[in-house]
Amino acid sequence: MVFQSPRGTADILPQDQPQWRFVEQAARRMAYRFGYDEITTPIFEDTDLFSRGIGSSTDILEKETYTFPDRGGDSMTLRPEGTAPVCRAYLQHGMNNLPQPVKLFYIVPNFRYERPQSGRYRAFNQFGIEVFGEQDAYIDAEVIELAWKYLEALGLKDLSLTINSIGDPSCRPKYIEHLKDYYHPHIANLCADCNRRINTNPLRLLDCKNDPCQELIESAPKSIEMLCPSCDKHWNSLVSNLSNIGLKHTVENRLVRGLDYYTKTVFEISPPDDGRMSVIVGGGRYDGLLEELGGSPTPGIGFGMGIERVIENLRRQKISLNQQNEQKIMVAHIGNEAKLEAIKLASLIRSNGGTSLVAPSRGLRSQLKYAAHIKATEVVIIGDDEIESGLFPVRNLANSEQKSFRKEEIINMFTQNQ
Ligand code: HAM
């Protein structure tokens, strides 16, 4: 039997790497442009970090984590999301003592034991950002703007931005009571998930996708109508900040997000064929999380964006990325002496910062076929005559033009643009 990659995981094959590289580099550029610094946290953390951080009644904690005892008997969990680990790092490294806000981004793999389907994997990658220490809603709008500008810069079209406010500990309990009262007479008609969640996580009833619950969601009480004065002020400020920077949005009462740490602002960005599986960006504010993790009260906000979903949408919208033309030089050789010369030349090109490889040891025709297969941009051809004259033909594989140059010229030509 030949092994297969585990269910819900995928290889990123050589032919897909340029697209991944482009998408990740563009993410880094955009994050730097907004003043974010990169952070990378370990792939696994103490399990308690996630039970405290994400909440034990969330789907992730209930059924999706990869949790295992290590050989010392401590319980570890593979990172299912980036926010809790970045909060942990912020506290552990005393970043709360730095001038605030602290703005961080990450591009990291995450692991969730979900039912695999299109756009939903068990191992997936997120580009995420987190901002700590800023209460003002201008930053909520800026966080959303970063995600939006990034997707726009990649060329994605017809995206939609939905926003909501789910209040904070001073107004949410009242809203939740109200929601429960509203649902109570209809318990018998709710789906099994909602029947369970009405006690464990009633807000999640609003984003149920099962048919029997849709009508009830339509007329459910809206969180933005029950905000306390400070959440209401923050919400109004978010809306006017978004308008100020020209970001079109829809207010969506159903938007509650699947993680327990959110307060006030929540948002999502989705492609045209909306559906739970297709949300590209999800994020929001989490003003109580740092305190929950042992820090002093510190506001926080951020988003996570699934890179696989970004790439799938680029494919679906047939967007070919403006990839840099990287030069890749193959040095071909005819004869033993020429081969030694080819090895030396390829090595010199690399030492000077270029990309080059020596052709495989077979006939010239077959070497040239190989050059086309590996998508070399140029081939330098070395034989006895060339060694004698010191002039080496360089063939451009895109237009088949060929011209001869001296060794030093070749090295300069293939290294100066790198
Ligand atoms: P999330 O909504 O769980 O939020 O995930 C954010 C994004 O990650 C999703 O919108 C989706 O693009 C991608 N994603 C999630 N699960 C999968 C999966 N199984 N397969 C493929 N892609 C997936 C969070 O993770 C929060 N930490 C976001 C955040 C940061 N909130 C504040 N700061």
Side-chain angles (χ1 to χ4, degrees), residues 251-263:
V251 178
E252 177 55 87
N253 184 45
R254 294 162 181 256
L255 179 51
V256 290
R257 311 269 308 129
L259 300 141
D260 274 2
Y261 49 60
Y262 291 113
T263 51

Side-chain angles (χ1 to χ4, degrees), residues 216-322:
L216 280 167
I217 295 176
E218 285 299 322
S219 20
K222 294 183 171 24
S223 52
I224 52 166
E225 287 168 5
M226 298 194 63
L227 298 175
C228 59
S230 97
C231 287
D232 193 49
K233 189 165 163 232
H234 189 270
W235 169 247
N236 289 321
S237 168
L238 167 66
V239 172
S240 63
N241 273 292
L242 285 176
S243 308
N244 193 29
I245 50 177
L247 276 189
K248 282 209 189 91
H249 56 269
T250 309
V251 178
E252 177 55 87
N253 184 45
R254 294 162 181 256
L255 179 51
V256 290
R257 311 269 308 129
L259 300 141
D260 274 2
Y261 49 60
Y262 291 113
T263 51
K264 299 181 184 160
T265 309
V266 285
F267 66 94
E268 287 182 351
I269 300 178
S270 309
D273 56 339
D274 191 18
R276 185 89 215 116
M277 246 55 72
S278 67
V279 174
I280 305 177
V281 185
R285 184 167 272 282
Y286 45 86
D287 289 347
L289 180 56
L290 284 135
E291 207 177 348
E292 182 65 38
L293 296 177
S296 51
T298 311
I301 176 165
F303 69 68
M305 178 182 310
I307 300 181
E308 283 79 3
R309 293 192 190 175
V310 170
I311 287 179
E312 269 164 33
N313 279 286
L314 288 169
R315 284 200 190 120
R316 211 172 298 153
Q317 297 195 9
K318 299 194 170 43
I319 295 169
S320 66
L321 297 172
N322 187 12

Side-chain angles (χ1 to χ4, degrees), residues 7-204:
R7 217 163 105 73
T9 70
D11 298 311
I12 305 170
L13 294 171
Q15 61 267 31
D16 298 325
Q17 295 287 346
Q19 194 169 30
W20 274 78
R21 226 173 13 244
F22 186 90
V23 165
E24 290 186 1
Q25 279 167 359
R28 284 199 171 82
R29 270 200 307 276
M30 190 58 78
Y32 287 132
R33 218 197 275 174
F34 277 75
Y36 286 74
D37 290 319
E38 186 161 7
I39 185 164
T40 309
T41 59
I43 281 186
F44 59 88
E45 299 268 358
D46 279 325
T47 299
D48 286 349
L49 172 70
F50 297 114
S51 2
R52 288 262 290 281
I54 299 178
S56 47
S57 63
T58 55
D59 281 352
I60 296 184
L61 254 286
E62 274 183 350
K63 50 187 190 209
E64 293 171 3
T65 49
Y66 282 87
T67 295
F68 55 95
D70 68 11
R71 287 173 194 270
D74 294 322
S75 180
M76 296 290 149
T77 293
L78 297 187
R79 173 180 47 226
E81 64 96 51
T83 308
V86 173
C87 289
R88 196 256 318 127
Y90 171 86
L91 295 174
Q92 179 177 337
H93 300 287
M95 290 188 233
N96 47 330
N97 298 318
L98 300 174
Q100 308 290 300
V102 170
K103 300 163 117 186
L104 302 170
F105 79 94
Y106 47 89
I107 300 177
V108 294
N110 293 288
F111 307 89
R112 297 184 193 176
Y113 191 78
E114 297 202 72
R115 199 150 50 83
Q117 44 197 298
S118 159
R120 180 184 271 184
Y121 306 98
R122 290 184 173 169
F124 61 97
N125 293 275
Q126 265 185 356
F127 162 39
I129 70 166
E130 313 293 346
V131 186
F132 301 103
E134 180 56 271
Q135 190 70 256
D136 194 301
Y138 91 86
I139 203 82
D140 302 42
E142 194 190 272
V143 163
I144 298 173
E145 182 193 2
L146 195 165
W148 187 268
K149 287 266 161 71
Y150 168 67
L151 296 171
E152 198 176 57
L154 290 180
L156 286 173
K157 299 200 173 50
D158 303 322
L159 301 175
S160 57
L161 163 64
T162 46
I163 60 168
N164 193 17
S165 173
I166 54 169
D168 69 5
S170 68
C171 51
R172 193 163 18 176
K174 226 166 68 198
Y175 171 65
I176 285 179
E177 278 317 305
H178 204 61
L179 200 60
K180 279 177 154 174
D181 289 347
Y182 164 81
Y183 270 106
H184 212 78
H186 309 287
I187 282 186
N189 305 326
L190 295 175
C191 73
D193 277 350
C194 288
N195 241 298
R196 190 171 46 85
R197 283 183 175 147
I198 195 155
N199 295 315
T200 57
N201 201 345
L203 271 189
R204 293 298 305 281

